[in-house]
Amino acid sequence: ASRGIAVIGFSLGAYYALDLAAAEPGRVHSVVVFYGTGGGDFSGSRAAYLGHFADADEFEPRSGVDALEAALRRAGRPVTFHRYAGTGHWFFEPDRAQAFNQAAASLAWDRTVAFLERSPTA
């Protein structure tokens, strides 16, 4: 049987990744979001979630990150969110020189790879 897919979304793409996991619970087993949130009904989701968020993000306030984490926990989903001190939106993207943070990006990527390697089957 197929393990399903993992989805990774950055910023606005995180909204799409979250929506896809909610809409296609039988297909999506893992979701990784980078500095993006979204609402919705996660009660049917069967995915595990990993989130990487900036410490100071003008586009994603801490309250939105906290609300997403709480919604996923209420839905009974495995969730781990990390916040990276001294970072802002786009900290993972080297083409955003004003925001890129090599140390945070490397740590976030290592955590992403480890998460995907141990992700549950759908």
Side-chain angles (χ1 to χ4, degrees):
S2 171
R3 285 178 36 120
I5 62 170
V7 293
I8 301 175
F10 294 83
S11 193
L12 180 60
Y15 290 81
Y16 295 124
L18 293 163
D19 285 347
L20 182 61
E24 296 288 340
R27 298 173 113 177
V28 179
H29 67 74
S30 301
V31 178
V32 180
V33 294
F34 284 80
Y35 35 82
T37 62
D41 178 5
F42 299 103
S43 61
S45 173
R46 298 196 330 233
Y49 293 81
L50 176 66
H52 304 290
F53 298 95
D55 183 44
D57 191 329
E58 63 187 293
F59 302 105
E60 291 292 343
R62 181 173 286 270
S63 60
V65 174
D66 292 344
L68 174 59
E69 185 175 14
L72 292 169
R73 289 194 189 285
R74 278 192 308 276
R77 302 316 317 142
V79 56
T80 302
F81 280 3
H82 298 283
R83 290 175 177 85
Y84 296 85
T87 63
H89 203 79
W90 298 303
F91 72 83
F92 190 81
E93 300 172 45
D95 62 329
R96 302 276 189 159
Q98 77 283 7
F100 181 62
N101 182 305
Q102 178 65 59
S106 293
L107 180 56
W109 186 247
D110 289 347
R111 287 171 166 168
T112 297
V113 171
F115 170 78
L116 294 174
E117 286 177 341
R118 69 176 181 269
S119 289
T121 57

